[in-house]
Amino acid sequence: MTFDVEEVVKNATNVENIVGADFWHTAELERFNVPRVRCSDGPNGIRGTRFFGGVSAACIPCGTALGATWDKELLYRAGELLGQECISKGAHCWLGPTINIQRSPMGGRGFESYSEDPHLSGTLAVNIVKGVESTGVQATPKHFVCNDQEHERRAVNTIIPERALREVYLRPFQILARDAAPGVLMTSYNKINGLHVAHDPRMINGIVREEWGWDPLVMSDWHGTYSTTEAVNAGMDLEMPGGPKMRGRLGDFVQSSRLIKQSVLDQRARRVLQFVKRAAKVEMKEGPRDLPEDRALNREIAGKSIVVLKNDINLLPLPKKAKKVALIGSHMRLPVITGGGSAVLNPYYTVTLSEALSERYSASGTEIAHEVGVPAYRMLPQLSKLIQRPDRSAQGGIMSFYNSPPGTTDRKLVVEEHFQRAYCQLMDYKHPDLNFELFYITAEAIFTPDESGTWDFGLSVYGTANVYLDDELIIDETTEKQKAGGAFFGKGTPEKIGSKELQEGKEYKLRIEFGSSATSTSPQIGVTTFGGGGFQLGAARRVDSAVSIDRACKLAQNADYAILCTGLNAEWECEGTDRLMYNLPPRIDELITRVLAAQPNTVIVTQAGTPFAMPWQKDAQTIVHAWYGGNEAGHGIADVLFGDVNPSARLPLSWPATEKENPAYLNWGSTQGRVMYGEDVFVGYKFYDEMERPPMFAFGHGLSYTTFEIKPLAVSETGDKVSVEVKNTGKIDGTETVQVYVHAKTSLIRRPKRELHGFSKVTVQAGKATKIEVAIDKYAASLWDEAEERWMREKGEYEVLVGSSSREEHLTVAGSFTIEETSWWLGL
Ligand code: BGC
């Protein structure tokens, strides 16, 4: 970019470029030749600049799925794909990866992050960041730090011991600072020990810049700059989004009150300009990419992320041919590709499991039949396939935007937008002639039910809305005082249901009259006000679950085997709210239990971003966990079920049987504005190990269709590597994930029994053996010394364990190394 940073710093006015220009762009300073730079969400794909009506995009598997691959090289390639996707959306800056820690399975955004373990999380983040940045796009690890829950995420004061902060929550960011030093860092919404991170000079200027020597552009999370002076002084360079909210009066502070030094303000501006200067040359238009090689990579990632949890009777891999197979469950025909919130995007395409299985079964002449059993939605499924435009020209509907309410004489149409599904999120929606203070939408479509019976319609809105069917009011969310619900980042009303008897194949006129966010009467909780608000409308024919469970059981019983696919979705796991319950949605456990009783040869396939209760676990002999799998979710699962991919994924987090067993249970959610990280450094498997209470499935667990023997060979004298021989003792080729844990045998301080400090994937042919070396991180022998306020490499003996999961029974002592003298340091 052809501008001189110092020249601009000297001559621009104080506020000009340290505030974004709008929702997704930095400011353009035409007279200095400083172009605007575009940022785009999110962790599993690049949405572009519009939540509503945006361009289509690649959707890769969610964070926990990427974590489950334990595959550095694959994450690098996933990063390259995301970088290319950014370029196709005209974005210079990727708002990812999310590297917070799942201290509880109940986090609404747990699905976005990689792991409960800081070493696994940081190492994978390094690789995806390097992949993204190899394309010239700058990466933005987020949210720095401890945005590990959604409840009161802006207010919550995280009370945390310094040692846990350093060893667990800051550690992935520190690994990134050391091994990748990405261009940008996003601060979190929450406080740490009394101070918002966004205002905390110790966190930003102190730890990131001085201690770690990493000097990224530091930007706020969206609407997460809460002050004018403090954030600037703490080191926060860029307030996002724009225009100026907190920074509007910055000039005054420098000139009259001297609350901010001119040199500090110059430094903030300098960092923003350096970021702009580093930005790759990207054509700022948004379009699709969707190349065959991207699809292939996406499918590979999906397959490599799927964890086979149980295969007790070797039902997997499935035979290529059977007489009849029962396909059951809520997720069989639903594309469940990501969790909810800013991770959501408009996918190029989706592949459901049913579609992927049908491709195979039709080729082999296997008969298949479907039963839903129990639906898994939290709100009724958004209308899409059953609606078409009023002129019948395409699927979906038309939204007409106005600045005056319905019934106004001479009401002037401002703009018309087409929608494909009845979900409209106007947080970043813009139109030059629309009055953003208050506007109205009339949404219209023709609805044709595919079954006769009682249909339930469900509306959630941020703003107000009425729903009409053939001009009859069926839902009124305008007249009464509204309540707070969960949708729209916590701002939407709880779903309101209206019902009607309808006939299959008959066309009904559907109309929604919407008033923008300003008309809302719901309590203002959730994120700060966002743009115009939004609404969603779902519909489904009412079914009697008792009857549909019976039908599913009968189908399973009469088949050679059954595949039952169910789980959570973007409504249950969503930014803005934490999960409400650990169980699967109502009656799904009952469905699973009954189908298992009817047909023991049932593969249970689950999709969710984080663990959930499996009260039927002991009855199920075959369980496969498939996360949120992106565009290629269905293919990825089918590849594993049929053995085209020999599974090699391992759990990146512990899976407790009940919510009460998890280490954060007593200290979860915000209690009048605070949360205590009482489990200290004993997060995830470190807690279960310490308590000698194994979770249902352990961190690192996952099965293969072959068997391996991991034979330790030697640990280097300095403890920086271990060599092992991996033998494939089975009949097919496969990939083992070698995990290296370190146990501080003689520490004077209470430390976790073992910590992961190295891992490597190795592919070995059937019957063959391969020798590999796995690097051990130098932090293996170190802990944060709270008294000295530094890292301490403690003298003593360290045992190195290698194996295939974090559990003792899967680990072998490879040897040990000794640290002769205790030493301390600050930095990386
Ligand atoms: C989220 C960020 C996201 C930003 C922009 C915030 O609410 O916390 O992760 O990048 O919005 O959508």
Side-chain angles (χ1 to χ4, degrees):
M1 305 283 167
T2 55
F3 61 87
D4 180 74
V5 170
E6 292 310 319
E7 193 59 32
V8 185
V9 170
K10 217 181 314 154
N11 295 311
T13 61
N14 280 325
V15 214
E16 268 185 304
N17 75 332
I18 58 172
V19 185
D22 59 22
F23 223 80
W24 304 114
H25 298 94
T26 60
E28 179 177 3
L29 310 184
E30 246 178 282
R31 64 188 194 286
F32 298 110
N33 212 11
V34 176
R36 63 188 184 140
V37 158
R38 179 175 293 168
C39 309
S40 191
D41 282 321
N44 45 233
I46 313 304
R47 185 177 58 247
T49 62
R50 286 168 64 150
F51 272 103
F52 168 63
V55 287
S56 52
C59 183
I60 65 170
C62 70
T64 38
L66 296 177
T69 68
W70 293 61
D71 193 330
K72 301 167 207 171
E73 183 266 341
L74 190 63
L75 269 273
Y76 183 89
R77 288 195 282 137
E80 286 177 317
L81 171 56
L82 291 182
Q84 295 300 345
E85 277 287 314
C86 278
I87 292 168
S88 76
K89 312 294 178 258
H92 310 84
C93 169
W94 171 48
L95 301 177
T98 309
I99 47 168
N100 295 117
I101 294 285
Q102 298 96 347
R103 56 182 288 267
S104 156
M106 304 303 284
R109 275 184 109 167
F111 71 91
E112 283 188 39
S113 292
Y114 297 148
S115 173
E116 69 185 21
D117 180 85
H119 178 81
L120 180 58
S121 169
T123 309
L124 294 178
V126 164
N127 286 277
I128 201 161
V129 160
K130 282 187 171 168
V132 167
E133 296 208 332
S134 72
T135 65
V137 169
Q138 296 178 66
T140 313
K142 63 191 189 182
H143 311 84
F144 182 80
V145 60
C146 288
N147 183 181
D148 310 308
Q149 67 175 43
E150 289 301 280
H151 188 211
E152 296 202 332
R153 63 178 175 166
R154 289 162 184 283
V156 72
N157 181 21
T158 303
I159 299 174
I160 181 171
E162 185 68 13
R163 187 177 156 207
L165 179 64
R166 297 288 186 152
E167 291 181 27
V168 183
Y169 301 91
L170 282 173
R171 204 50 207 124
F173 291 96
Q174 189 186 13
I175 293 173
L176 263 178
R178 182 187 68 188
D179 297 341
V184 192
L185 175 69
M186 187 192 289
T187 52
S188 58
Y189 286 128
N190 52 284
K191 295 179 189 166
I192 303 266
N193 296 331
L195 206 54
H196 278 104
V197 180
H199 294 183
D200 193 339
R202 181 180 91 100
M203 298 300 294
I204 305 176
N205 275 339
I207 293 179
V208 175
R209 294 200 166 111
E210 281 156 37
E211 229 180 85
W212 295 349
W214 172 30
D215 198 9
L217 168 85
V218 178
M219 67 164 68
S220 68
D221 196 348
W222 267 228
H223 307 291
T225 310
Y226 312 112
S227 69
T228 304
T229 51
E230 284 94 329
V232 168
N233 283 329
M236 153 105 58
D237 302 307
L238 179 66
E239 174 185 349
M240 283 304 280
K245 298 221 165 41
M246 303 310 295
R247 296 192 168 181
R249 293 183 53 235
L250 261 175
D252 300 356
F253 287 95
V254 185
Q255 275 135 30
S256 56
S257 58
R258 295 196 187 283
L259 283 166
I260 304 173
K261 293 185 185 125
Q262 182 63 50
S263 56
V264 169
L265 215 43
D266 287 351
Q267 184 56 13
R268 300 289 82 83
R270 189 173 288 117
R271 287 303 293 119
V272 178
L273 292 165
Q274 284 162 349
F275 161 72
V276 175
K277 209 167 176 76
R278 270 206 314 267
K281 272 211 170 60
V282 163
E283 214 187 321
M284 284 178 79
K285 58 179 193 205
E286 295 180 63
R289 198 180 123 87
D290 197 17
L291 304 176
E293 57 266 34
D294 297 352
R295 290 182 175 216
L297 172 60
N298 215 344
R299 182 171 181 162
E300 181 185 345
I301 302 170
K304 287 184 171 171
S305 73
I306 290 164
V307 187
V308 175
L309 294 172
K310 282 181 90 171
N311 192 18
D312 291 356
I313 52 169
N314 291 326
L315 187 58
L316 299 177
L318 293 169
K320 298 269 181 267
K321 190 172 161 47
K323 243 170 59 208
K324 183 168 179 183
V325 179
L327 305 184
I328 297 167
S330 53
H331 286 40
M332 193 50 93
R333 287 165 137 169
L334 262 195
V336 181
I337 62 170
T338 169
S342 54
V344 169
L345 48 76
N346 178 18
Y348 289 137
Y349 63 98
T350 55
V351 182
T352 63
L353 179 55
S354 164
E355 285 160 352
L357 293 173
S358 303
E359 285 166 17
R360 286 163 189 267
Y361 287 131
S362 65
S364 68
T366 301
E367 186 193 338
I368 53 171
H370 285 89
E371 280 294 341
V372 165
V374 178
Y377 39 75
R378 183 172 173 190
M379 291 196 266
L380 294 166
Q382 289 157 20
L383 273 172
S384 66
K385 289 201 169 128
L386 302 179
I387 49 176
Q388 51 179 324
R389 292 190 205 177
D391 64 3
R392 294 174 185 74
S393 59
Q395 179 250 318
I398 296 284
M399 287 186 196
S400 311
F401 288 66
Y402 301 91
N403 285 327
S404 45
T408 314
T409 37
D410 295 335
R411 200 183 186 207
K412 255 188 45 209
L413 175 71
V414 177
V415 59
E416 234 176 41
E417 297 275 2
H418 172 222
F419 63 95
Q420 276 183 319
R421 59 185 172 118
Y423 177 77
C424 156
Q425 204 273 53
L426 300 165
M427 185 190 258
D428 54 3
Y429 184 79
K430 280 197 301 202
H431 189 280
D433 301 329
L434 201 63
N435 169 19
F436 277 90
E437 300 299 314
L438 177 62
F439 63 91
Y440 300 86
I441 296 175
T442 301
E444 290 169 292
I446 293 171
F447 170 62
T448 316
D450 56 355
E451 286 174 292
S452 298
T454 309
W455 279 74
D456 290 325
F457 292 81
L459 173 82
S460 170
V461 60
Y462 176 34
T464 48
N466 281 350
V467 180
Y468 301 85
L469 209 59
D470 279 350
D471 295 323
E472 179 192 341
L473 179 67
I474 56 164
I475 304 174
D476 175 354
E477 191 54 274
T478 301
T479 324
E480 281 170 23
K481 170 105 180 86
Q482 297 174 327
K483 294 197 188 77
F488 299 104
F489 298 87
K491 287 226 160 300
T493 52
E495 182 175 49
K496 198 168 198 177
I497 306 283
S499 310
K500 195 141 173 62
E501 279 307 306
L502 302 178
Q503 265 174 39
E504 178 185 339
K506 186 171 165 198
E507 293 188 346
Y508 297 87
K509 239 171 40 192
L510 178 70
R511 180 161 53 90
I512 305 162
E513 296 289 358
F514 167 77
S516 66
S517 53
T519 65
S520 165
T521 57
S522 92
Q524 294 301 297
I525 55 167
V527 298
T528 48
T529 309
F530 64 77
F535 64 87
Q536 72 173 66
L537 181 71
R541 191 179 69 81
R542 204 177 286 168
V543 286
D544 179 346
S545 295
V547 175
S548 61
I549 292 176
D550 281 349
R551 287 166 57 127
C553 292
K554 201 175 266 162
L555 182 70
Q557 203 164 21
N558 294 328
D560 295 5
Y561 62 86
I563 304 175
L564 193 164
C565 181
T566 189
L568 303 176
N569 59 34
E571 291 173 352
W572 297 100
E573 287 188 87
C574 183
E575 179 178 341
T577 44
D578 289 317
R579 284 172 57 189
L580 300 174
M581 57 184 194
Y582 191 54
N583 277 79
L584 289 175
R587 299 201 74 169
I588 287 187
D589 289 332
E590 182 187 340
L591 168 75
I592 297 177
T593 308
R594 294 218 14 229
V595 169
L596 284 170
Q599 175 55 276
N601 286 338
T602 296
V603 187
I604 306 293
V605 179
T606 53
Q607 283 195 273
T610 47
F612 52 84
M614 294 184 179
W616 34 263
Q617 183 266 125
K618 290 211 164 65
D619 302 328
Q621 287 156 321
T622 319
I623 309 176
V624 174
H625 185 65
W627 317 103
Y628 299 130
N631 303 110
E632 290 283 343
H635 280 146
I637 300 170
D639 289 345
V640 168
L641 295 185
F642 286 95
D644 297 339
V645 168
N646 189 352
S648 63
R650 304 288 180 261
L651 288 178
L653 26 71
S654 311
W655 197 302
T658 67
E659 185 198 345
K660 287 194 176 170
E661 287 166 40
N662 96 74
Y665 179 69
L666 284 179
N667 293 301
W668 181 248
S670 167
T671 307
Q672 295 187 300
R674 66 111 170 112
V675 60
M676 173 105 83
Y677 280 29
E679 70 280 17
D680 201 343
V681 294
F682 297 93
V683 176
Y685 64 91
K686 296 165 192 167
F687 172 84
Y688 297 99
D689 287 347
E690 192 69 16
M691 302 298 284
E692 294 179 359
R693 252 193 256 142
M696 186 161 64
F697 298 111
F699 175 81
H701 168 73
L703 302 174
S704 163
Y705 297 151
T706 186
T707 45
F708 295 99
E709 232 174 61
I710 301 176
K711 201 165 106 199
L713 299 175
V715 175
S716 68
E717 211 175 302
T718 55
D720 64 346
K721 57 179 179 269
V722 53
S723 45
V724 294
E725 186 185 86
V726 182
K727 189 165 179 200
N728 182 339
T729 51
K731 292 199 173 58
I732 54 170
D733 301 351
T735 303
E736 177 60 303
T737 303
V738 178
Q739 306 171 30
V740 179
Y741 296 84
V742 175
H743 164 57
K745 277 185 89 171
T746 52
S747 181
L748 299 175
I749 293 156
R750 189 163 178 185
R751 293 170 77 162
K753 260 195 185 145
R754 48 188 167 266
E755 295 174 355
L756 182 85
H757 283 289
F759 63 94
S760 191
K761 292 201 92 148
V762 53
T763 300
V764 192
Q765 284 174 2
K768 296 267 165 46
T770 308
K771 285 185 190 149
I772 57 161
E773 271 185 358
V774 187
I776 301 175
D777 197 279
K778 86 166 182 191
Y779 283 76
S782 304
L783 70 143
W784 181 258
D785 182 337
E786 288 196 353
E788 289 296 323
E789 298 179 309
R790 283 154 196 269
W791 286 98
M792 173 168 76
R793 184 160 235 239
E794 194 189 14
K795 80 169 184 193
E797 202 184 332
Y798 294 85
E799 203 168 60
V800 176
L801 302 109
V802 294
S804 57
S805 100
S806 63
R807 297 296 306 159
E808 206 145 14
E809 56 273 25
H810 298 131
L811 293 169
T812 316
V813 178
S816 55
F817 63 93
T818 305
I819 302 293
E820 302 292 349
E821 280 304 325
T822 300
S823 56
W824 288 264
W825 85 92
L826 259 191
L828 297 173

